[in-house]
Amino acid sequence: MKFIHTADLHLDSVIDALPAEKSKIRRDEILRTFERLCDYATENGVSAVIIAGDAFDKPRVSKKAAGRFIEAVRSCHNVDFLYLSGNHDQEFLSEWGDLLPDNFKVFKNEWTTFRYDNVAISGITFDKYNAPFVYDNLKLNENDLNVVCMHGQVLGYKSEEAAETVSIPMLKNKYIDYLALGHIHSFSEGVIDERGAYAYCGCLDGRGFDETGVKGFVLLETEGKKFNKKFVPFCSRVFVEKEFSAENEGNFYAFRNKIIQTLRSEYSENSLINAVITGVHGAELLIDKDDLAARLNEYFFFAKVYDKTSVKISAEDYSLDKSVRGEFVRAVLAGDLTEEDKNAVILTGLNALKGEL
């Protein structure tokens, strides 16, 4: 038998990282990725799709997003969808529950188990009342293949959002074969005990540059008395953040072309690119991040550029320069401004002398 572990779909998100037009496209693509997941489940004989929390991005869900989600689930007649509420989508069931099809099944705030032959899939939604008893109340059969579903933060992970913590030590020796987790948006895995392992499947499709890299789901397949598991890449586009050092660069146009060639050779035109320029460079390198961003947007779905460089300006470099430029640099360096202000004034002046301001 086959099972899919997905989580953190965050459907109906507002994509703040992109301009309005492309944000709308991306929002629709993320919905479409879930629909493709449903097609995949049907075509590959998957018994159940485990959604380990945060199917939607906010408590209130738009009619369009809810409708497409429900119809996608309904279309998978032979696949169950086992749904666990997360910390973003708490009101989805109360608002849309009456329209959900029979193959949509819900983990409640007490341990709920769904069986598929010898596979038992158990899950629980955290609340302020059950938290002290979650681990003690988990009772599993040693002879089953046991999947446990939870949404929260494994102790040791860092997150800016408040979420229930998941204690791996408290889950040891509970006969867990696979712990399907949601809340962390990148794939990671670890060991519970000699028998079991846990994994965050990550989000299904990225929504911003805090969700870089390939996204997808975990496919579980039974083999005798164990699971074979693998991460399946499935996202429609990839968010990429890549740094480029300007430290030894002297000509912006050559540097710009090198950045473009590198990104084009490594990433597809469907990608979303954040090029970050770093390092310390001389005053002669005049970085035009707007020009670079415009060029990158000719080759990729979306691109932006951050200039995080600093400029090193030395009096020695201009000691023999008898031009107006040299006199200007030496005069500023001899003044009583801070080093940061001196650099800013010199760069502005050099640009002006070159006719670029």
Side-chain angles (χ1 to χ4, degrees), residues 290-352:
D290 293 333
D291 175 73
L292 175 57
R295 297 300 181 101
L296 289 174
N297 274 287
E298 294 175 5
Y299 298 111
F300 298 100
F301 177 74
F302 175 74
K304 63 179 181 178
V305 177
Y306 279 108
D307 181 0
K308 294 186 176 181
T309 62
S310 57
V311 181
K312 181 179 181 181
I313 300 174
S314 169
E316 295 178 0
D317 295 337
Y318 293 90
S319 61
L320 301 178
D321 189 339
K322 304 301 182 182
S323 68
V324 173
R325 179 183 62 181
E327 293 290 342
F328 166 70
V329 171
R330 289 192 294 273
V332 175
L333 290 175
D336 57 2
L337 296 173
T338 65
E339 289 301 313
E340 182 178 353
D341 288 343
K342 286 178 182 180
N343 283 347
V345 170
I346 289 172
L347 285 176
T348 301
L350 292 177
N351 283 339

Side-chain angles (χ1 to χ4, degrees), residues 85-294:
S85 293
N87 57 306
H88 279 260
D89 54 356
Q90 304 94 330
E91 295 181 23
F92 171 69
L93 291 175
S94 60
E95 188 172 1
W96 298 97
D98 292 343
L99 299 178
L100 291 164
D102 292 339
N103 61 330
F104 188 87
K105 304 177 187 300
V106 178
F107 295 112
K108 301 177 182 178
N109 57 1
E110 57 188 23
W111 285 107
T112 309
T113 301
F114 302 101
R115 298 194 63 89
Y116 301 87
D117 293 335
N118 68 324
V119 176
I121 304 177
S122 304
I124 191 168
T125 299
F126 286 116
D127 63 32
K128 62 182 179 180
Y129 303 107
N130 67 15
F133 313 107
V134 163
Y135 301 99
D136 289 342
N137 289 347
L138 177 60
K139 308 296 183 182
L140 302 175
N141 188 322
E142 181 180 2
N143 297 318
D144 286 334
L145 267 174
N146 290 305
V147 177
V148 170
C149 180
M150 303 174 82
H151 185 91
Q153 186 173 309
V154 168
L155 295 177
Y157 278 85
K158 293 182 179 180
S159 174
E160 296 180 357
E161 299 177 13
E164 291 292 343
T165 57
V166 175
S167 173
I168 297 301
M170 295 289 287
L171 293 170
K172 288 184 176 181
N173 303 316
K174 293 280 190 180
Y175 308 128
I176 298 172
D177 295 284
Y178 180 78
L179 174 61
L181 292 171
H183 185 61
I184 301 299
H185 291 189
S186 56
F187 173 77
S188 62
E189 57 185 338
V191 174
I192 300 173
D193 52 28
E194 292 183 359
R195 173 167 173 163
Y198 69 86
Y200 284 104
C201 57
C203 56
L204 190 60
D205 216 340
R207 297 170 298 142
F209 290 102
D210 56 343
E211 296 177 352
T212 56
V214 176
K215 305 299 180 183
F217 60 84
V218 174
L219 181 66
L220 299 171
E221 188 167 5
T222 58
E223 183 180 350
K225 295 184 177 181
K226 67 175 184 177
F227 286 114
N228 289 326
K229 62 181 185 299
K230 68 175 181 178
F231 176 77
V232 179
F234 206 71
C235 53
S236 57
R237 300 182 191 274
V238 174
F239 282 83
V240 174
E241 183 169 286
K242 192 173 181 68
E243 292 188 0
F244 296 89
S245 175
E247 187 167 344
N248 297 314
E249 303 294 338
N251 180 280
F252 170 71
Y253 298 102
F255 184 40
R256 178 197 69 186
N257 292 339
K258 182 167 72 173
I259 292 173
I260 293 171
Q261 290 169 6
T262 298
L263 290 170
R264 291 189 69 192
S265 67
E266 294 181 4
Y267 304 103
S268 75
E269 62 184 14
N270 285 331
S271 303
L272 301 99
I273 305 292
N274 181 20
V276 182
I277 305 175
T278 63
V280 180
H281 62 82
E284 294 302 312
L285 180 64
L286 303 176
I287 294 174
D288 187 342
K289 66 176 185 178
D290 293 333
D291 175 73
L292 175 57

